[in-house]
Structure formats: C-alpha cells, structure tokens
Amino acid sequence: MKTRIIAGLCMLPLLLFLYWGGWPLLIITAAICYIGVTEFYNGWEAIDVHPSKPIAYVMTTLLFIMHAVCELTEIQEAENYFLLIWVVLSIAVSLIYGWKINERGTYDAVATAIGLIYVVFFAFHIVLIDCTLHNMIWIVIIASFGSDIMAYFTGMLLGKHKLAPNLSPKKTIEGAVGGVVGAGLFCLVFGLIVDGPGMGLLLYFVLGAVTGAVSQCGDLTASAFKRKMGIKDYGNLIPGHGGIMDRFDSVIFTAPFVYMCIVALMIMIGSM
Amino acid sequence: MKTRIIAGLCMLPLLLFLYWGGWPLLIITAAICYIGVTEFYNGWEAIDVHPSKPIAYVMTTLLFIMHAVCELTEIQEAENYFLLIWVVLSIAVSLIYGWKINERGTYDAVATAIGLIYVVFFAFHIVLIDCTLHNMIWIVIIASFGSDIMAYFTGMLLGKHKLAPNLSPKKTIEGAVGGVVGAGLFCLVFGLIVDGPGMGLLLYFVLGAVTGAVSQCGDLTASAFKRKMGIKDYGNLIPGHGGIMDRFDSVIFTAPFVYMCIVALMIMIGSM
C-alpha cells in the first residue's frame, strides 16, 4: 500500500502535462499508446497468441504524425476523414498479417487489430479532447481516478455485495456506487472552481458520475482480458500499480466517452 | 460453371441499384451488411467461437439509422464524428460482451468486434462513396469484379506460378497480374464513356489497376479467414458463388480504398 501511494504521488507531476495540453500532452499520450499496446500484446503472448508489434508501432506513429500534420497545416477539418481511414487501414493491415496461415493464427491478426483500436485509438481521444475543449481533459482524469479511489474506500467501509466475483473478486456493488457518486462529486467541485456556483454544477455532477460508471466499465473490460490471459497485471512499470494498461484501463474508456459528450454538446449548440 | 454464370446474370439487375444510388443503394448495402456479418459469424461458429449476432444487428441498425438521420437533417458535416463514435461504441460493446468470462471466451468478444468493423463498417463505405461522389461507385464494382474475371481467364490461359498456395491454391501470379491490368483497362473504358478521351484516362487506368490489386487483397483476406475456420464458402445464398461474403469479399476492401482516394482528391483540390 505504501509503495502504491508513493508511486501514485510520483505520478502527480504528470498532471502538469494535462495542464499544458498541446504538444506535451500529445507526447505523453503517444507514450501511453506505445507502452499500452506493447503490454496488451504481451498479455496475449501469455496465451500463445502473437499479435504484430511492428504493425502496432507503425500504425501508432502514423496516427500521431497524421494528427501533427493536420495541426500544423490548415486542414484540421479533414482530420476526421484521416481518422476513419486510419481505422480502416489498421484493420486491413492487421488482417493481411494473418495471410501467412501456416505460421500465424487468425487470432494473431485479430488481436493485432483489437490492440490498435481498443488501446491506441481509444487513448488517442485524450488528444482529440485536448484539441476540441481542453478543460474537459480534467473530467476524464478526475472522474476516472476519483471513481477508482472512492470505490476503493466506499467498498472497504460498506462493501457487502460482490459486483462481479468472476472478473474482479474484491469489487462490491457498494463500492461501485460510491465510485460513481464520488466521481460526480469530484467533478462538481471541479466545476465550482472553473465556473463558480450555478445550475451548471448539476451538469458537472451528472457528467462526472456517468464518466465514473464508464470508467468502471473500462476497468472490468481490462479485468476480463487479464483473467482470460491468465495474468494478474499487464506490466510492472509503476510499482504497486502494475503497468500502464493497469493504470489507464479506465482512462481508455472514459476518454472516448467524454469526447462523445463534447461532440453531442457542440451539435446541440450548433457549433458543428 | 453454368449455374455460376446463370446466377451471375441473375444478379445483373442489382446494377440498377448502383445506378440509382441514394436510398435504394442504402437498402442494398444494409442487406449486404446484415447477411455478410451473419455469414462471417457463422464461419467463426465452425471453430467454436461464438460472436454476438444481436450486438452486430443492433450496431448495424444504429449505423444506418445514424446515416439516415444525418441525411435527413442538416447535420451531414457531423457524420464523420458519428462514424468515429460508432467505431468506438462497437468495440466497447463487443468487449463488454466478453465480461461473462465463465460462459464466453475472449475470442467471442474479439470476433464480434472484428465482424462489425471488417464486414459492416468496410461495406458501409459504399454508402459514403455514393453520398460523396456517386459515380465512383462504378469504379468499386468494375475494378472488383473486373479483376476477378480477368484474373480467372488470364490464370487459366497463362497461369504457371502459384500466388499463395496455402491460401488459395488455384490462384497464379500471372492471373493476379492479368486481374490488375484487366481492372485498369475496364476502368479506362468506363472513363472513356463518362469523360470522353483525354489525359484523365490514365488516372482511370491507374485507379482501376490499384483498386484491382486491393480487390485481390480482400479476396485473400477472406480466404485466410475461411482456411482458418475450415470452411470452403461463407454461405450458399448465390448458387455457384457461395454466400454474400464470398461474392463481396473484394468489395469490402475496395470500397474503403476508393473512398480514401476520393478524400485524398478532395483535399488536393481544396474542397474539404
């Protein structure tokens, strides 16, 4: 527990990158993608499935270069087209990797594809949020880690009924509810700091609470993969926390969700 | 062979739907998606992997409804955002399907996700092309089927060197080259009819030839899946041709490719 807290505190300076946004955040996100997808593929190796790391690295690099080019030139509006093309290319290249049927299994190809979308593309939404509505990045982080922490403490104090005994034996329904409410409250406080008191705070609470719930879905999804792969943690990069994928399993679900909310909001207010 | 030709001729009226474009083409594409993904999932069943058909049907319906809403309202520009969200949702829902680790395998979840992207999302590009530059739909069809037919005849006449003996024992390198050149020539003739003589015809030839090559990649990808699944055909809907996925395995690769070319073209001429 002590190692866990110390390592957690050591990660606090990373918050600066969130505050800065822009290129620093882009670099950190790229690092999360590269390390995350490597850990995810290592997990597959444990059950004798061998996704292609070279494909993952090339496609991840392409994604970030593509974004940088869109930012540096005047074709930001075209980025969505590129992203859709990137998704198609990632899947196509991964499946073509499966052509060597004598050396590789279908699962090698399919796992390569899933890693690219589930880890890399999902995490890339951090950058998309930053470019669209920078402040919302905080919601992703506050709701994800807030839900984690509050679920842990509520579960410890009140936890009685198991949430998903097969997936994550220690999680309780009480903890999950505490996590959701906690995430909502943390985001409400964030809203209070950013926007001051007002009716908008209710929106912050609801957004935070729902993001907290989505965060727990990300957690359970990672648990499901780990159980099937027969591993406890994806890695051991962060002492007491496991690997990057163990720490960011909830963020890779909440980032696309928050981006989705931003898009919905922008369509509603007609700025799109 | 006779059944194959008769069935092929029976499919000719379908060309009317291509000519019309719009809603009729949308309905045909939706049908290809529903039947295609069902056949693809049935293939997985053969190796004891059980993707979720309900998830596929719900997500496919959502995709087409989303497109229809964008067309009917004034928010066409927002469609790319929706498509990206749809991709994320499809993967997330498929992975959540894998939570019941005692009843389901990781492969059930992963195969569900791949079916949604590789079959449904890839095929959906037919609709996207139709909405962006209707005439290019013909390139998809002419290059895919042209490459198929010309590869068959060139291979029969000149075929000596095997192309991919493990994947598709009958295919030859000579046939593949014949298919590529044939697709280019067919598209050149199409260009001549549509635009008349001129330097632009070279572009039609190159686009047709490259699309022909991509079409063969689609074919080989489907073959790789079928080999691993231990099945000869995905279905038997079209006598002598197999299932929808056997007939459209090349189209689901060429449609996104041609759409990619349209986007590149539009960015180059600055209309995006």
Side-chain angles (χ1 to χ4, degrees):
Chain A
M1 192 62 198
K2 207 171 155 192
T3 329
R4 195 177 157 86
I5 294 173
I6 293 170
L9 291 174
C10 288
M11 284 168 71
L12 279 182
L14 284 180
L15 291 180
L16 262 183
F17 288 85
L18 287 182
Y19 176 72
W20 286 326
W23 297 103
L25 186 60
L26 185 93
I27 292 165
I28 282 289
T29 311
I32 293 175
C33 289
Y34 286 115
I35 304 171
V37 81
T38 308
E39 289 177 351
F40 184 67
Y41 286 180
N42 286 343
W44 282 103
E45 302 272 351
I47 45 168
D48 208 27
V49 172
H50 309 281
S52 163
K53 284 178 192 164
I55 290 180
Y57 299 149
V58 169
M59 291 310 297
T60 307
T61 308
L62 185 69
L63 179 65
F64 282 89
I65 288 181
M66 210 175 71
H67 174 77
V69 169
C70 286
E71 283 295 305
L72 293 172
T73 57
E74 298 294 305
I75 51 167
Q76 278 110 330
E77 321 81 62
E79 182 162 8
N80 282 344
Y81 284 101
F82 288 131
L83 290 177
L84 290 169
I85 289 173
W86 183 87
V87 167
V88 168
L89 263 185
S90 297
I91 304 288
V93 173
S94 303
L95 296 186
I96 287 173
Y97 175 72
W99 281 4
K100 288 205 170 177
I101 48 171
N102 288 353
E103 299 164 29
R104 294 165 194 152
T106 313
Y107 301 132
D108 298 357
V110 166
T112 306
I114 288 294
L116 276 167
I117 309 289
Y118 163 60
V119 182
V120 178
F121 187 59
F122 275 36
F124 182 74
H125 282 78
I126 296 173
V127 173
L128 291 179
I129 296 173
D130 178 50
C131 293
T132 323
L133 209 61
H134 169 71
N135 258 346
M136 296 291 273
I137 278 292
W138 294 106
I139 299 286
V140 173
I141 300 300
I142 294 171
S144 303
F145 295 148
S147 155
D148 241 32
I149 294 163
M150 292 306 287
Y152 179 78
F153 287 112
T154 323
M156 233 172 38
L157 281 174
L158 311 169
K160 268 183 189 154
H161 305 86
K162 296 284 176 205
L163 178 70
N166 297 324
L167 277 184
S168 213
K170 284 186 185 161
K171 289 203 172 70
T172 59
I173 296 178
E174 293 78 6
V177 173
V180 168
V181 176
L185 289 175
F186 279 145
C187 288
L188 184 142
V189 173
F190 170 74
L192 196 64
I193 296 167
V194 176
D195 286 348
M199 276 306 285
L201 289 183
L202 186 67
L203 197 68
Y204 275 103
F205 177 79
V206 174
L207 180 63
V210 182
T211 310
V214 171
S215 150
Q216 295 181 17
C217 292
D219 202 330
L220 290 173
T221 301
S223 297
F225 271 120
K226 285 188 276 190
R227 290 267 148 194
K228 284 289 181 181
M229 291 165 175
I231 54 176
K232 202 193 153 288
D233 282 327
Y234 273 117
N236 48 14
L237 197 70
I238 318 163
H241 291 254
I244 283 284
M245 274 295 286
D246 298 294
R247 192 59 290 170
F248 287 89
D249 54 4
S250 45
V251 171
I252 56 178
F253 255 57
T254 50
F257 174 73
V258 169
Y259 182 67
M260 224 176 271
C261 294
I262 296 176
V263 170
L265 187 79
M266 290 177 101
I267 288 174
M268 273 194 289
I269 60 174
S271 78
M272 199 165 269
Chain B
M1 192 63 197
K2 207 171 153 192
T3 328
R4 197 178 156 86
I5 295 174
I6 294 172
L9 290 175
C10 287
M11 283 168 73
L12 279 182
L14 285 180
L15 291 179
L16 262 182
F17 289 86
L18 287 182
Y19 175 74
W20 288 324
W23 297 103
L25 186 60
L26 184 94
I27 292 165
I28 282 288
T29 311
I32 292 174
C33 290
Y34 286 115
I35 303 172
V37 81
T38 308
E39 289 178 351
F40 185 67
Y41 286 0
N42 286 344
W44 283 102
E45 302 272 352
I47 47 170
D48 209 27
V49 173
H50 308 282
S52 163
K53 285 179 192 165
I55 289 180
Y57 298 149
V58 169
M59 290 310 297
T60 306
T61 308
L62 185 68
L63 179 65
F64 282 89
I65 287 180
M66 210 176 71
H67 174 77
V69 169
C70 286
E71 283 295 304
L72 293 173
T73 57
E74 297 295 302
I75 51 168
Q76 276 109 334
E77 321 81 65
E79 182 161 11
N80 281 345
Y81 284 101
F82 288 130
L83 290 177
L84 289 169
I85 289 172
W86 183 88
V87 167
V88 168
L89 263 184
S90 297
I91 304 288
V93 172
S94 302
L95 296 185
I96 287 174
Y97 175 72
W99 282 3
K100 288 205 167 175
I101 49 171
N102 288 354
E103 300 164 29
R104 294 167 194 151
T106 313
Y107 300 132
D108 298 357
V110 167
T112 306
I114 288 293
L116 276 167
I117 309 290
Y118 163 61
V119 182
V120 178
F121 186 59
F122 276 35
F124 181 73
H125 282 78
I126 296 173
V127 173
L128 291 179
I129 297 173
D130 179 51
C131 294
T132 323
L133 209 62
H134 169 70
N135 259 345
M136 296 292 273
I137 277 294
W138 293 105
I139 299 287
V140 174
I141 300 300
I142 293 170
S144 304
F145 295 147
S147 157
D148 241 33
I149 294 164
M150 292 305 287
Y152 178 79
F153 286 112
T154 324
M156 231 171 41
L157 281 172
L158 310 168
K160 268 182 190 151
H161 305 85
K162 295 285 176 205
L163 178 71
N166 296 325
L167 277 183
S168 212
K170 284 187 186 159
K171 288 203 173 71
T172 60
I173 297 178
E174 293 78 7
V177 174
V180 168
V181 176
L185 288 176
F186 279 146
C187 288
L188 185 143
V189 172
F190 171 73
L192 195 64
I193 296 167
V194 175
D195 286 349
M199 278 304 285
L201 289 184
L202 186 67
L203 197 69
Y204 275 104
F205 177 80
V206 173
L207 180 62
V210 182
T211 310
V214 171
S215 148
Q216 294 181 18
C217 292
D219 202 332
L220 289 172
T221 302
S223 295
F225 270 120
K226 284 187 278 189
R227 290 267 150 194
K228 284 290 183 185
M229 292 164 174
I231 53 175
K232 203 193 153 286
D233 283 326
Y234 273 117
N236 50 13
L237 197 70
I238 320 165
H241 291 254
I244 282 285
M245 274 294 285
D246 299 293
R247 192 60 288 174
F248 286 90
D249 52 6
S250 45
V251 171
I252 57 180
F253 256 58
T254 50
F257 174 72
V258 169
Y259 182 67
M260 224 177 270
C261 295
I262 297 176
V263 170
L265 187 81
M266 290 177 102
I267 288 173
M268 273 193 290
I269 61 174
S271 78
M272 200 165 266

